[in-house]
Amino acid sequence: MSANIAELELRRAASKLGGGQKRIDAQHAKGRLTARERLDILLDEGSFEELDAYVTHNCTDFGMAEQKIPGDGVVTGSGTINGRLVYVYSQDFTVFGGSLSEAHAMKICKVLDNAMKVGAPVIGLNDSGGARIQEGVASLGGYAEVFQRNTLASGVIPQISLIMGPCAGGAVYSPAITDFIFMVKDSSYMFVTGPDVVKTVTNEVVTQEELGGAVSHTTKSGVADNAFENDIEALLSVRDFFDYLPENNRTGVPERPTEDAWDRIEPSLDTLIPPSANQPYDMHELIRKTVDEGDFFEVQPTHAANVIIGFGRIEGRTVGIVANQPMVLAGVLDINSSKKAARFVRFCDAFDIPIITFVDVPGFLPGTAQEYGGIIKHGAKLLFAYAEATVPKITIITRKAYGGAYDVMASKHLRGDLNYAWPTAEIAVMGAKGAVEIIFRGLSAEEQAVKTAEYEDRFANPFVAASKGFIDEVIYPHSTRKRIALGLRKLRNKALENPWKKHDNIPL
Amino acid sequence: MFKKILIANRGEIACRIIKTARRMGIATVAVYSDADARAPFVQMADEAVHIGPSPAAQSYLIADKIIAACKATGAEAVHPGYGFLSERTSFAEALAKENIAFIGPPVNAIAAMGDKIESKKLAMKAGVNVVPGFVGEIDNTEHAVRISEEIGYPVMMKASAGGGGKGMRLAYNEQDVREGFEATKREGLNSFGDDRVFIEKFILNPRHIEIQILGDQHGNILYLNERECSIQRRHQKVVEEAPSPFVTPKMRKAMGEQCVALSRAVGYYSAGTVELIVSGADPSGESFYFLEMNTRLQVEHPVTECITGIDLVEQMIRVAAGEKLAMTQDDIKIDGWSIENRVYAEDPYRGFLPSTGRLTRYRPPVAGWTEDEDANGRRGVEGVRVDDGVYDGGEVSMFYDPMIAKLITWGKTRDEAADLQIAALDRFEIEGLGHNIDFVSAIMQHPRFRSGELTTGFIAEEYPDGFHGAASTPDLVKSLAAIAGFVATAEADRARHVDGQLGDTLEPPARWQVKIADAVHDIEMVDGDMHVDGEHFDLSMEYDPGDRLIEAEVGDEELAVKIAKMRTGFKLTTRGATHIARVLPGHIAHLADHMIEKIAPDLSRFLICPMPGLLTTLHVNAGDAVEAGQPLAVVEAMKMENILRAEKSGTVKIVNAKAGDSLAVDAVILEME
């Protein structure tokens, strides 16, 4: 072997070792894998091609000149997931605690630049103690360089962040800009300021886990989209998730073979809606029985569960699903559910993913908490998102579609392409009892009951809306999948453009 | 013969009766409550009449509504099925008054046998052995305690008008009597409108064997052999079979003739069942005692049909129409062996708690009510018969009995019938609510069940700590690992056929590490050939992504496995247990060693509502000290009072609910310190 090749091998080996065996063991002891092990799980076997393995920092302060480790705390490059190209970076906690130096940041920027050039998604595995303090402002500049690229890439290529260790301070804003954030339970946390600072400033005592753990962010804040049990489950799940996403905003959704018949009939759906209007049912059942093979990747399942969002496939092609969930708060729209669904609708629209909306919504949640919290603006986000979306939009009203919430949930008026209703649908300005109280004031209880029954007869069905063309057809519940599949085939070449603008001004 | 009959019942038994009536060319009328508006029996019947709200007390138990329905539809006779009005003399009398035939026994026989105290006196008079006990009215708890002490513990307290396991309580000591006597009275009053209770000696290691009686209105009474129903849980039958592995021809004859004599004494006709308690300890078979006579069709009648070839519903209708029995005792034979398992909506993994709700998936192994059309007592298709009253997307209502279906198998031998049960249960798909399929499958495989050494204590003795899935063998686990590897390969192969790939379609990973409980197997597919731990493994199966039931051949043995995807593997259900298979690609499997096993949080501090129901009683307040096992609350669901006890001793910290609250499953009722 020539000396040059020996040198290459030596350097590669040095780079691969990261922070050394002792630090690797410490990482393992915490139940966490190393940056490279994580990539081994995420990517197809042997597909990872590394970039910048020999990059080191150029800091000389505080004795850093003597401490250089090739790679500088982040492993970057590209590979494939089920054969499809993806760019990746994986922060290496064994090297300077994964802290972000200028050089470290530039490696991430190179990955983002390359991905943007070729139109491939980026997956970032975050495990970093934060800024490289020794570098000071250079590190801050590095963060901002990443933020800028994340922002420009937004809506062009899918960006996914996995939080697999600490992610604090400025570091949180890169994942925050990306499309999806996944976390690992009991081993990852995200916050702008940690418990110590919180204690000093506000006197509030809180643990890392409570403040910014996976459970907090996937239930309370909604910052993260899903929480997984451990590194392996998280990475394998992201592989599954990646399979739904298009490579970029021009390629359209991926397609894969399925044996699930497009016209599969589901007789059990004919009895999904309970006989009593006040009885809830699980909207997940309808979703699972509609999509291919019952496979539904739910996003944010534990946050604002009154609306369900996630990806499925019809005839092997990805669709985005938005659905009210009668099991939680009767499926009402509130601040959190509006924000959750709005961002998802915009993701789907940006990446050419058709949107299927299942509607059973009694309206918007009333109350001071909601009004003071700005439900007007937040509800408007969802309205805006649906109204601006130009992808194929198919809407199925299963039961209630009341008031403004009817308009919001991908109604015909918001350029819904196919708006179907089940025979159990009730499309009305409000529930019968409330309506009667307003139309006929001062009636006796008996008179009110009579009028309520009249109002129900008139509006507690889909046919008034259908007579105005707001509903294209009233369909059998059992044929829902078939109708959607057929609709999507017909809408495959849908062309619709919004007027030119620099960008819109969504009510943020 | 009748032209039109009405079925005063619901669920599977209504379907059962309609099925035979239709074959006989008789039109049928169903009656239904609100909850049953969409039920199959309503669809199956020629006509259906709505008779009121969901609670049985406001619909199925109101005789006037049934009679009005008969008049409105012109039904000439009523089949009452089992439960509800089937053993109410007042109902039979009311029908008689309206000149509507009752498809069942004469009123006086119902009256004589329906009352446990009266029937016992009658049996004694007829010279039938009876279990020692107190025959008469019991005044109060003190009296009950005195009686119990005279008879000697253990004793059984029974609601006089009870049946089907409801309103029965076992007492091992004075405290049990004091705790249970009033509750037994209450259950009797609530369920049957009669609060009389009687007490008798409880026979240890007893077997429950019953004789099927069939008589006509011309004085002919036959016995159609026995059924053994020893496998019970809290006096509710779970497994029934015919014939009994304990009964010899001599014993059968002795039991049969005595039961016929008793029936004759009350002028019995139609179908009826004399329940006997038999001491399994006495090999002579002479220790059998009269327990009670059920003057109706039994839930478990199909096993008798399967071995005798006689359609009991048909016979009941013919007898009610005045026909003579077309057979004699000599015609009654035993052909093969039949076993019935009651598939209940109750969760054996959660203490058998009732689990009502929507059947999001319901696929029986053979469609309910299909049969081979031979006049063999309806043995179903190839020996597998399903009697059900539910459907895919239907509901098991909280208002009624939580039985989902009856699975009946017939084989030439007992083992054959039991093997058929196991195979059929593996293919029985029920989702949306908890069910006991794993549990009954485990019983079918249990060596003690196979040996025929049954007692009514079987379940309590064999599953003292509850049920945690049937025991599995290393061979079964290995087969499941191979199946999981096969499925993983197929899924990965399909995933690799997505469009937009960087290069040529990649080969799917074919090496997997499968971990089931503590067993780890390396799986490799080489040119479609399965290798487990480096050796060829004889597995033949097909799998398309999305399949929920896999039919595999391992060697020359068939194995049906229900499969559900998980994030890192599959849930595999077969042979009475669910196995979690963690499936990792071979090249990364070693990394799993670094993952930290998470310990589930200790929930024993919380009293969690185990099922949706009504909190009827809360025994404690915040600050109270409680002992392990002490009753803390009572939740009523499915008409049953479920006592929730303290899992460990401690002090109550917070109480989150109050009596009268409707609670969801997993609601935290109270927290301990």
Side-chain angles (χ1 to χ4, degrees):
Chain A
M1 202 193 323
S2 76
N4 314 10
I5 289 179
E7 170 74 9
L8 173 65
E9 288 192 350
L10 211 64
R11 283 183 179 260
R12 277 190 176 176
S15 177
K16 284 217 170 104
L17 199 57
Q21 195 58 46
K22 224 177 111 189
R23 291 220 168 88
I24 290 173
D25 292 343
Q27 178 85 345
H28 283 163
K30 282 183 276 190
R32 295 181 188 152
L33 298 176
T34 67
R36 286 174 194 282
E37 287 166 344
R38 286 169 174 166
L39 291 175
D40 281 345
I41 298 171
L42 179 66
L43 302 173
D44 293 335
E45 189 175 1
S47 75
F48 179 55
E49 194 176 21
E50 191 167 354
L51 293 168
D52 296 338
Y54 318 109
V55 163
T56 55
H57 66 78
N58 47 16
C59 177
T60 52
D61 295 321
F62 306 107
M64 285 301 283
E66 289 77 51
Q67 296 185 52
K68 292 204 177 190
I69 297 173
D72 205 31
V74 62
V75 181
T76 61
S78 62
T80 59
I81 293 178
N82 284 317
R84 296 195 308 140
L85 176 62
V86 60
Y87 278 82
V88 292
Y89 67 88
S90 178
Q91 291 179 314
D92 188 347
F93 197 79
T94 68
V95 178
F96 308 123
S99 62
L100 185 128
S101 67
E102 191 181 8
H104 176 133
M106 285 307 144
K107 283 182 70 176
I108 296 174
C109 289
K110 189 193 265 187
V111 162
L112 284 160
D113 291 342
N114 284 352
M116 278 291 278
K117 233 179 334 196
V118 301
V122 173
I123 300 176
L125 312 184
N126 295 261
D127 187 0
S128 163
R132 186 87 51 86
I133 311 288
Q134 296 90 336
E135 290 197 9
V137 72
S139 174
L140 290 185
Y143 273 125
E145 293 284 346
V146 176
F147 301 158
Q148 178 64 54
R149 282 167 178 78
N150 284 142
T151 305
L152 292 179
S154 180
V156 180
I157 51 171
Q159 301 179 81
I160 299 170
S161 300
L162 250 106
I163 316 299
M164 311 191 79
C167 180
V172 299
Y173 287 111
S174 170
I177 295 168
T178 63
D179 299 303
F180 296 97
I181 300 177
F182 298 121
M183 295 181 77
V184 182
K185 282 185 198 165
D186 307 321
S187 92
S188 72
Y189 49 88
M190 291 177 85
F191 35 67
V192 174
T193 46
D196 294 343
V197 179
V198 169
K199 175 100 201 318
T200 314
V201 176
T202 69
N203 236 353
E204 200 184 350
V205 178
V206 66
T207 64
Q208 279 191 355
E209 192 61 31
E210 280 167 2
L211 185 63
V215 173
S216 299
H217 281 314
T218 51
T219 54
K220 292 195 175 79
S221 75
V223 163
D225 293 289
N226 257 321
F228 300 104
E229 289 303 323
N230 56 45
D231 279 16
I232 292 179
E233 187 189 289
L235 292 157
L236 291 177
S237 298
V238 168
R239 281 179 63 88
D240 289 341
F241 184 71
F242 181 84
D243 287 348
Y244 288 95
L245 304 183
E247 285 279 292
N248 59 54
N249 61 351
R250 297 182 310 278
T251 53
V253 297
E255 182 172 346
R256 69 182 203 183
T258 177
E259 296 294 320
D260 199 351
W262 70 275
D263 57 352
R264 170 167 49 80
I265 296 295
E266 278 290 342
S268 63
L269 290 180
D270 289 342
T271 51
L272 179 66
I273 305 298
S276 157
N278 298 324
Q279 228 177 312
Y281 60 94
D282 189 356
M283 193 63 100
H284 285 107
E285 184 181 341
L286 169 56
I287 296 170
R288 291 208 189 88
K289 285 179 175 174
T290 299
V291 298
D292 289 355
E293 301 160 19
D295 224 359
F296 176 57
F297 198 113
E298 187 169 355
V299 176
Q300 298 199 29
T302 48
H303 173 70
N306 38 337
V307 75
I308 301 169
I309 56 171
F311 296 108
R313 295 184 183 84
I314 301 282
E315 293 198 83
R317 298 169 63 87
T318 305
V319 292
I321 308 255
V322 179
N324 306 113
Q325 168 61 297
M327 299 270 279
V328 181
L329 295 171
V332 74
L333 282 177
D334 58 2
I335 292 172
N336 287 343
S337 58
S338 299
K339 290 196 313 196
K340 169 177 160 181
R343 185 161 161 79
F344 183 73
V345 166
R346 279 167 64 87
F347 176 83
C348 290
D349 186 47
F351 289 98
D352 237 351
I353 301 170
I355 300 165
I356 313 295
T357 307
F358 294 112
V359 182
D360 185 352
V361 64
F364 279 98
L365 183 63
T368 49
Q370 291 289 311
E371 295 293 353
Y372 296 170
I375 179 69
I376 295 173
K377 285 266 173 138
H378 295 296
K381 288 176 183 172
L382 182 55
L383 175 61
F384 195 108
Y386 268 124
E388 71 171 339
T390 57
V391 289
K393 291 187 281 194
I394 300 180
T395 304
I396 317 278
I397 300 176
T398 59
R399 191 164 64 174
K400 294 173 197 153
Y402 286 169
Y406 154 73
D407 283 341
V408 169
M409 293 301 294
S411 64
K412 196 76 198 164
H413 326 283
L414 303 183
R415 300 188 294 181
D417 293 302
L418 284 169
N419 290 63
Y420 291 128
W422 284 7
T424 40
E426 302 171 19
I427 299 139
V429 71
M430 55 169 42
K433 201 163 163 284
V436 167
E437 276 165 13
I438 292 170
I439 303 171
F440 310 99
R441 280 180 199 279
L443 290 187
S444 71
E446 297 84 55
E447 288 168 325
Q448 219 171 55
V450 172
K451 289 290 175 195
T452 304
E454 261 177 47
Y455 194 90
E456 266 172 13
D457 278 351
R458 175 88 177 108
F459 288 109
N461 63 61
F463 297 105
V464 178
S467 73
K468 295 184 179 301
F470 298 172
I471 295 296
D472 294 305
E473 175 61 302
V474 180
I475 63 168
Y476 293 112
H478 65 242
S479 67
T480 302
R481 172 178 164 88
K482 183 176 154 181
R483 291 281 189 162
I484 291 172
L486 197 59
L488 288 172
R489 283 186 190 177
K490 291 176 181 172
L491 291 164
R492 191 77 67 89
N493 295 318
K494 176 186 176 185
L496 178 65
E497 273 185 22
N498 290 333
W500 185 92
K501 53 183 98 173
K502 185 173 175 191
H503 63 67
D504 55 44
N505 187 18
I506 187 166
L508 289 174
Chain B
M1 183 48 63
F2 309 116
K3 293 210 168 42
K4 188 190 272 187
I5 64 171
L6 181 143
I7 296 102
N9 214 304
R10 60 175 301 282
E12 67 87 18
I13 196 62
C15 296
R16 168 72 192 88
I17 295 159
I18 292 168
K19 182 88 183 162
T20 285
R22 179 168 295 170
R23 187 170 49 71
M24 295 171 72
I26 302 169
T28 53
V29 181
V31 291
Y32 65 96
S33 70
D34 287 348
D36 281 332
R38 295 162 163 181
F41 74 91
V42 177
Q43 313 291 320
M44 272 170 83
D46 298 306
E47 288 171 76
V49 180
H50 176 247
I51 52 162
S54 305
Q58 295 169 44
S59 49
Y60 296 108
L61 286 171
I62 299 184
D64 290 348
K65 290 191 177 182
I66 309 284
I67 289 165
C70 287
K71 286 184 181 163
T73 55
E76 301 154 82
V78 171
H79 197 304
Y82 51 71
F84 295 137
L85 297 171
S86 60
E87 291 173 285
R88 287 216 182 159
T89 49
S90 57
F91 179 58
E93 280 164 355
L95 286 175
K97 228 176 264 168
E98 300 289 342
N99 263 330
I100 301 164
F102 179 70
I103 302 174
V107 172
N108 65 310
I110 302 175
M113 292 301 170
D115 186 314
K116 287 196 170 67
I117 295 167
E118 286 304 311
S119 69
K120 210 167 170 185
K121 286 179 183 164
L122 252 166
M124 275 195 279
K125 210 181 287 175
V128 181
N129 286 352
V130 295
V131 180
F134 180 79
V135 182
E137 301 246 351
I138 299 169
D139 307 328
N140 52 33
T141 305
E142 290 308 322
H143 191 194
V145 168
R146 259 197 329 275
I147 291 164
S148 303
E149 263 150 24
E150 277 165 26
I151 296 169
Y153 293 106
V155 298
M156 177 69 87
M157 297 178 285
K158 290 188 186 181
S160 187
K166 288 222 171 77
M168 298 194 356
R169 266 187 180 70
L170 184 56
Y172 285 99
N173 51 44
E174 184 186 330
Q175 196 196 341
D176 289 348
V177 177
R178 289 189 186 280
E179 276 184 17
F181 181 70
E182 285 300 321
T184 310
K185 277 182 83 157
R186 218 167 32 244
E187 272 185 32
L189 188 63
N190 290 345
S191 299
F192 313 104
D194 182 347
D195 72 349
R196 286 177 302 159
V197 169
F198 79 103
I199 297 179
E200 67 180 14
K201 178 146 185 94
F202 181 69
I203 293 178
L204 290 165
N205 298 334
R207 301 177 76 120
H208 177 118
I209 300 175
E210 59 190 28
I211 297 287
Q212 175 69 51
I213 294 292
L214 180 64
D216 63 20
Q217 301 194 36
H218 307 277
N220 301 305
I221 304 181
L222 313 177
Y223 61 94
L224 306 191
N225 306 315
E226 78 285 359
R227 293 184 287 261
E228 173 147 15
C229 320
S230 295
I231 311 253
Q232 310 182 346
R233 204 184 62 78
R234 289 199 194 155
H235 312 294
Q236 178 79 272
K237 293 166 189 169
V238 178
V239 182
E240 297 110 340
E241 60 183 307
S244 158
F246 187 71
V247 173
T248 59
K250 187 177 156 218
M251 187 179 168
R252 181 172 299 123
K253 191 158 184 285
M255 290 163 79
E257 283 172 357
Q258 269 201 37
C259 294
V260 167
L262 176 62
S263 306
R264 205 176 294 284
V266 291
Y268 203 89
Y269 56 81
S270 192
T273 296
V274 181
E275 296 194 338
L276 303 161
I277 191 161
V278 179
S279 171
D282 179 1
S284 75
E286 283 163 17
S287 303
F288 57 85
Y289 308 98
F290 172 79
L291 212 53
E292 61 179 10
M293 182 167 189
N294 295 324
T295 55
R296 55 168 158 85
L297 189 65
Q298 298 274 96
V299 175
E300 60 272 25
H301 74 275
V303 292
T304 297
E305 296 186 327
C306 286
I307 62 158
T308 60
I310 293 166
D311 183 330
L312 280 167
V313 173
E314 178 187 335
Q315 295 303 323
M316 288 178 80
I317 295 172
R318 290 193 184 285
V319 167
E323 287 187 20
K324 266 191 184 166
L325 292 181
M327 64 203 89
T328 66
Q329 190 63 51
D330 288 342
D331 298 324
I332 309 303
K333 299 277 189 307
I334 296 178
D335 179 16
W337 210 287
S338 181
I339 299 175
E340 170 179 291
N341 276 308
R342 297 192 190 185
V343 178
Y344 276 112
E346 54 185 29
D347 191 343
Y349 296 101
R350 299 186 69 169
F352 294 92
L353 290 166
S355 172
T356 54
R358 180 175 159 81
L359 289 158
T360 57
R361 189 177 175 85
Y362 177 74
R363 309 276 158 95
V366 305
W369 309 108
T370 49
E371 49 188 286
D372 58 14
E373 303 300 331
D374 285 343
N376 57 8
R378 305 187 45 258
R379 286 173 189 163
V381 179
E382 290 174 355
V384 180
R385 164 175 167 182
V386 174
D387 284 13
D388 60 9
V390 297
Y391 60 105
D392 192 25
E395 191 165 356
V396 176
S397 165
M398 61 177 283
F399 293 104
Y400 315 109
D401 186 78
M403 193 164 73
I404 301 171
K406 302 188 303 204
L407 178 65
I408 304 113
T409 55
W410 178 89
K412 287 193 202 70
T413 62
R414 190 167 182 266
D415 276 336
E416 206 177 286
D419 286 344
L420 264 177
Q421 280 285 347
I422 296 164
L425 288 164
D426 283 346
R427 291 163 177 84
F428 209 137
E429 296 180 75
I430 299 175
E431 288 174 24
L433 40 75
H435 55 76
N436 66 342
I437 286 193
D438 282 359
F439 181 62
V440 288
S441 174
I443 294 174
M444 292 297 107
Q445 298 170 67
H446 201 290
R448 186 172 150 198
F449 174 78
R450 289 304 186 119
S451 76
E453 294 291 321
L454 312 180
T455 72
T456 54
F458 179 91
I459 290 173
E461 287 155 27
E462 299 301 328
Y463 304 96
D465 306 318
F467 178 69
H468 310 287
S472 60
T473 61
D475 277 348
L476 178 66
V477 168
K478 195 172 173 186
S479 300
L480 292 175
I483 289 169
F486 186 101
V487 171
T489 306
E491 288 275 355
D493 183 43
R494 196 274 300 273
R496 297 287 168 113
H497 279 86
V498 66
D499 62 5
Q501 301 213 4
L502 195 60
D504 294 337
T505 301
L506 297 166
E507 285 295 313
R511 281 197 312 121
W512 305 94
Q513 186 206 67
V514 181
K515 184 167 181 277
I516 298 175
D518 294 328
V520 177
H521 292 287
D522 292 317
I523 309 294
E524 192 166 8
M525 296 275 285
V526 187
D527 301 327
D529 193 30
M530 172 65 64
H531 287 247
V532 178
D533 302 326
E535 284 174 21
H536 168 77
F537 189 84
D538 191 0
L539 173 73
S540 162
M541 63 175 275
E542 280 176 22
Y543 174 81
D544 284 324
D547 285 354
R548 308 280 280 280
L549 180 66
I550 290 169
E551 298 271 1
E553 260 177 58
V554 180
D556 47 14
E557 209 185 314
E558 282 183 13
L559 187 63
V561 181
K562 281 165 259 183
I563 184 165
K565 265 203 243 180
M566 299 178 68
R567 283 204 170 113
T568 52
F570 308 99
K571 216 194 285 190
L572 302 165
T573 304
T574 189
R575 302 286 153 101
T578 296
H579 304 266
I580 308 290
R582 190 193 71 191
V583 184
L584 298 177
H587 70 285
I588 59 136
H590 64 283
L591 297 174
D593 297 343
H594 301 305
M595 297 299 101
I596 294 168
E597 199 78 33
K598 290 184 186 172
I599 298 145
D602 177 18
L603 295 177
S604 65
R605 229 160 45 75
F606 302 97
L607 181 70
I608 289 169
C609 185
M611 78 219 107
L614 183 75
L615 184 65
T616 53
T617 319
L618 195 60
H619 292 298
V620 291
N621 294 308
D624 289 359
V626 297
E627 293 292 317
Q630 178 182 334
L632 298 179
V634 179
V635 173
E636 192 189 281
M638 322 271 301
K639 297 190 291 176
M640 296 287 279
E641 288 186 355
N642 298 278
I643 299 171
L644 309 182
R645 293 169 189 278
E647 245 181 81
K648 57 182 188 187
S649 304
T651 309
V652 179
K653 188 175 161 196
I654 313 170
V655 174
N656 295 323
K658 58 182 189 306
D661 285 359
S662 278
L663 300 178
V665 66
D666 289 338
V668 177
I669 298 170
L670 58 83
E671 284 176 41
M672 311 263 284
E673 291 284 353

